[in-house]
Amino acid sequence: FDLIMLASSWTMPRMQIARLFRCFRLFSRVTFMRQTMNALIDISPKIAIVVALFLLLFYNFAVVFTYLFKDLYSDGLTSVDYFSTLGRTFCTLLQCTIAGWPDMAREVMSIYHWAWLPIVVWVMVSKIAFMQLGIVILCQSLGRIDSGDDVYYAQASTELPTGGDTARIEAKLNRLAYNIESTIHTERTQKEF
């Protein structure tokens, strides 16, 4: 891989930026990074569901805001065109999701005193419900790594153990218990001498 990247960057000067992708080799070499990537891959279906719900809600709110406030800029009531088209409304709602909503809310509320209600509902739903939900899913998955639940990742796609698997697990546990008892017994006898 490195040879291909270096040779292509020497022959094609614009390909020098492709050398940056060499840093992704760390994901396979550093254990925690590999576990983190496995966790991200494991939670991708859950994140996809959250993103799909967020986009559906995002579209619904954009249609509502466009319907309610589309004429504000054309009537000269606002200084910025926030809601005249669906695309501008998407951009405005995305800004509301991040941090730029107070100025827009004050300007719209100076015209419609009830405008705080849909704006606050959007901010609460988008920030608290969906952004935090994505973070919770990610933290739970990363928490499995910290708790040492590697069995979860090794058997993520398998079903419950069958009878033969259960017998093997019990045998391993019995051997482990015997080893622990013999180690404790050995330590006690060493302390006595």
Side-chain angles (χ1 to χ4, degrees):
F1 180 74
D2 287 335
L3 181 65
I4 294 169
M5 283 291 130
L6 287 173
S8 64
S9 67
W10 288 334
T11 59
M12 296 174 276
R14 294 194 186 265
M15 287 295 294
Q16 288 180 358
I17 196 132
R19 288 168 150 187
L20 292 173
F21 293 110
R22 292 173 56 202
C23 68
F24 290 118
R25 292 183 305 162
L26 289 174
F27 290 126
S28 64
R29 294 195 177 153
V30 178
T31 304
F32 183 73
M33 291 179 94
R34 183 174 54 245
Q35 289 173 338
T36 304
M37 288 307 297
N38 286 339
L40 288 173
I41 290 168
D42 286 346
I43 65 167
S44 60
K46 293 177 185 176
I47 293 292
I49 290 170
V50 170
V51 167
L53 287 172
F54 181 72
L55 290 175
L56 182 65
L57 198 64
F58 193 48
Y59 175 74
N60 287 338
F61 269 88
V63 169
V64 168
F65 275 79
T66 303
Y67 179 75
L68 291 175
F69 306 123
K70 68 180 173 185
D71 295 328
L72 291 179
Y73 184 73
S74 62
D75 292 344
L77 299 173
T78 59
S79 61
V80 178
D81 187 5
Y82 294 115
F83 304 110
S84 66
T85 63
L86 195 59
R88 290 186 189 275
T89 305
F90 275 126
C91 184
T92 302
L93 290 180
L94 185 62
Q95 288 175 341
C96 289
T97 303
I98 298 168
W101 66 274
D103 296 332
M104 181 271 306
R106 284 187 190 97
E107 193 169 357
V108 174
M109 283 172 45
S110 68
I111 299 145
Y112 297 114
H113 67 282
W114 51 266
W116 65 271
L117 183 64
I119 294 169
V120 168
V121 168
W122 167 250
V123 169
M124 298 296 280
V125 166
S126 66
K127 282 191 177 183
I128 293 175
F130 286 102
M131 297 292 186
Q132 297 299 325
L133 186 61
I135 291 170
V136 164
I137 291 171
L138 181 63
C139 288
Q140 282 179 344
S141 181
L142 292 175
R144 289 186 183 134
I145 292 172
D146 289 338
S147 68
D149 194 7
D150 295 330
V151 175
Y152 171 79
Y153 294 107
Q155 297 178 351
S157 62
T158 62
E159 296 182 13
L160 293 173
T162 60
D165 292 336
T166 305
R168 279 187 292 177
I169 291 171
E170 286 178 8
K172 287 182 180 181
L173 286 173
N174 289 336
R175 276 185 274 157
L176 180 63
Y178 175 76
N179 289 339
I180 290 172
E181 287 176 12
S182 63
T183 304
I184 291 172
H185 178 70
T186 305
E187 288 179 3
R188 285 182 185 162
T189 56
Q190 289 176 353
K191 285 182 182 179
E192 290 176 2
F193 292 116

